[in-house]
Amino acid sequence: VQLQASGGGLVQAGGSLRLSCKASGRTFSNYVMAWFRQAPGKERDFVAAITLSGGTTYYGDSVKGRFTISRDNAKNTMWLQMNSLKPEDTAVYYCAARRPGVSEYAFWGQGTQVTVSS
């Protein structure tokens, strides 16, 4: 599956952004989807994940209550709604996909830059 992330940009602290991840090439509904992020000089961190049907979601502790992950299998698209953004949310955000039962995310998008100014 090929993944294309978009929607990043520059926003002030307290603002909102909505990231999109468009999938192509394979059956989107067959993949667990997730967002990760990587800030300069830091390791890549888990942000959020969503199951095949979208019925269950998971969040990293630092984004709980502020970010919402969702998907529409008919549109082959996943989103990350980011509210109450903080400067520490600044990073390149990546969408990723994996098969159920497989722990590793094998498919990755190209990343989209999110910059939050204080």
Side-chain angles (χ1 to χ4, degrees):
V1 61
Q2 289 80 46
L3 303 174
Q4 179 78 31
S6 62
L10 174 64
V11 63
Q12 289 188 334
S16 299
L17 278 176
R18 189 191 195 202
L19 305 183
S20 298
C21 179
K22 178 74 172 179
S24 62
R26 299 285 180 92
T27 303
F28 180 65
S29 59
N30 288 344
Y31 294 86
V32 175
M33 299 298 297
W35 290 97
F36 290 79
R37 68 185 182 186
Q38 188 166 22
K42 296 188 176 181
E43 294 186 352
R44 186 169 58 199
D45 287 336
F46 169 77
V47 175
I50 188 165
T51 53
L52 303 186
S53 65
T56 303
T57 56
Y58 306 88
Y59 296 95
D61 289 341
S62 62
V63 306
K64 282 180 182 177
R66 300 188 298 122
F67 291 11
T68 302
I69 189 172
S70 61
R71 68 189 293 168
D72 185 334
N73 289 340
K75 296 181 178 180
N76 292 345
T77 304
M78 170 181 67
W79 296 276
L80 184 69
Q81 178 66 44
M82 305 186 294
N83 298 329
S84 302
L85 283 161
K86 305 175 181 180
E88 51 264 42
D89 294 319
T90 295
V92 177
Y93 284 70
Y94 298 91
C95 58
R98 65 172 175 85
R99 289 279 196 176
V102 176
S103 60
E104 181 180 355
Y105 285 87
F107 305 95
W108 293 83
Q110 86 288 1
T112 184
Q113 176 71 47
V114 172
T115 303
V116 184
S117 63
S118 58

